[in-house]
Amino acid sequence: MRLLTQRSDGTSGTALATIYLSYNASSGKNCVVTVNKTSSSRWMRASLSVQGGSTASDSGTFHSYAGPVILSAIDRCVKWGGTWDESPFTWTSGWSHCG
């Protein structure tokens, strides 16, 4: 797998979490992980949706990360995102990474 995109959320320029999207070209699978950048366990979510297809997520209180969430998305767009410690630290992409 390779990293396609990452998104960091935080305050005052300090990253609290990073959401990673990766893609495996040989399998056609996308993977999302939300990584905690603090030393404390937090409620987190990693989510992934395939346009016209499946949606999956992993959520709970984790020390290191939520996920991996893996779905096949050959020739389709995905919507991906994550949450760190509930609102307001949540983010979801639009439909992207098509193909």
Side-chain angles (χ1 to χ4, degrees):
M1 291 192 155
R2 68 181 178 93
L3 176 66
L4 286 178
T5 309
Q6 68 181 30
R7 165 79 183 199
S8 292
D9 285 307
T11 57
S12 304
T14 302
L16 301 174
T18 302
I19 309 160
Y20 293 96
L21 170 69
S22 60
Y23 177 71
N24 184 317
S26 63
S27 69
K29 292 185 179 181
N30 285 268
C31 176
V32 176
V33 177
T34 300
V35 177
N36 184 12
K37 298 291 189 174
T38 72
S39 60
S40 302
S41 294
R42 297 289 185 186
W43 190 93
M44 295 185 288
R45 174 184 292 137
S47 59
L48 179 62
S49 297
V50 178
Q51 195 167 29
S54 301
T55 296
S57 67
D58 181 40
S59 61
T61 301
F62 302 108
H63 181 75
S64 299
Y65 59 89
V69 177
I70 301 170
L71 291 174
S72 181
I74 298 170
D75 297 325
R76 295 192 180 174
C77 301
V78 296
K79 189 180 284 187
W80 59 283
T83 301
W84 181 89
D85 205 26
E86 311 267 352
S87 185
F89 301 110
T90 189
W91 181 83
T92 304
S93 73
W95 293 113
S96 62
H97 301 286
C98 306

